[in-house]
Amino acid sequence: MLDALAEEDIEILTDAAGTDPAVLFSAVYRMFSGAVLGYLRARGVDDPEAVTQDVFLAFFPKIGDLTGGLQGAKSLLFSIAHARMVDYYRRLERRPDFTPYDPLQDGRSIASAEDHALGNDGGAAALLDGLADDHREVLALRVVADLSIEQVAGIMGKSQGAIKQLQRRALQNLKDQTLRRNQAHHE
């Protein structure tokens, strides 16, 4: 059933001429909302669900001018998501500092239900924390958002060759970090 829906969505986007914008929007939302949410989570946005909704709200008025079918919609969505993520970090820089969490002052003796449900490792965001900003960005766009090198180059404003190098170096750094972490656990 799910594959049939995905195929219908792809056909809707391929034959978008004369299609109701609400139908196009629904197809794009079903196909890409999870990937947009994952990208925003991996980039450390505090409320990724709300920002995902903002991305789709910004996308809807542009549906009439959409070209490029499925890839055009995907590229536009992740361009908007990237811009919203940058806006989020700019707002964050202007906020005053808050008092950090002190685990010694926390009276709870067991992990919360959320920690048990989601795991304590932090997911993709924890893996990306030790990388440089460009490395985190290229991996979030390439791996989490599943964008092509050409699309990532357009979003980040770099050449395709630079994106390939950034991805290769980011993966190597991630591998080195993982090896160091594993060695520290075994010692």
Side-chain angles (χ1 to χ4, degrees):
M1 175 86 178
L2 190 58
D3 290 333
L5 284 176
E7 288 178 26
E8 284 179 22
D9 291 341
I10 291 171
E11 288 176 17
I12 289 170
L13 290 170
T14 304
D15 303 321
T19 305
D20 180 19
V23 173
L24 287 172
F25 180 80
S26 294
V28 169
Y29 187 83
R30 281 191 304 267
M31 291 182 71
F32 298 115
S33 60
V36 170
L37 178 65
Y39 168 74
L40 294 169
R41 270 195 186 130
R43 296 301 293 138
V45 175
D46 281 345
D47 192 359
E49 292 86 359
V51 178
T52 298
Q53 296 308 314
D54 288 342
V55 167
F56 281 94
L57 286 173
F59 173 78
F60 185 76
K62 298 177 184 192
I63 283 182
D65 301 328
L66 185 63
T67 60
L70 180 65
Q71 290 303 317
K74 187 176 185 179
S75 185
L76 177 59
L77 270 174
F78 282 99
S79 293
I80 295 170
H82 176 77
R84 293 297 188 268
M85 184 268 307
V86 169
D87 291 344
Y88 164 78
Y89 279 109
R90 286 182 180 154
R91 273 192 307 275
L92 195 63
E93 288 177 4
R94 291 190 294 259
R95 273 196 246 164
D97 289 334
F98 296 104
T99 305
Y101 171 72
D102 184 5
L104 298 175
Q105 303 240 341
D106 189 358
R108 294 179 291 181
S109 60
I110 59 171
S112 68
E114 290 84 3
D115 286 340
H116 285 294
L118 299 174
N120 295 327
D121 61 356
L127 289 173
L128 299 176
D129 277 345
L131 298 176
D133 287 338
D134 279 350
H135 291 174
R136 273 194 303 264
E137 184 64 18
V138 79
L139 286 182
L141 288 169
R142 287 283 292 140
V143 176
V144 177
D146 193 30
L147 294 177
S148 69
I149 290 175
E150 180 181 282
Q151 291 168 323
V152 174
I155 290 171
M156 292 182 70
K158 298 184 182 291
S159 71
Q160 291 180 23
I163 296 300
K164 288 178 185 178
Q165 281 289 0
L166 279 171
Q167 180 179 338
R168 184 185 63 75
R169 289 179 182 148
L171 290 171
Q172 184 61 45
N173 288 343
L174 197 58
K175 178 183 173 184
D176 293 343
Q177 284 180 11
T178 304
L179 289 173
R180 282 193 301 272
R181 193 176 311 129
N182 287 343
Q183 286 175 347
H185 287 307
H186 291 290
E187 291 178 359

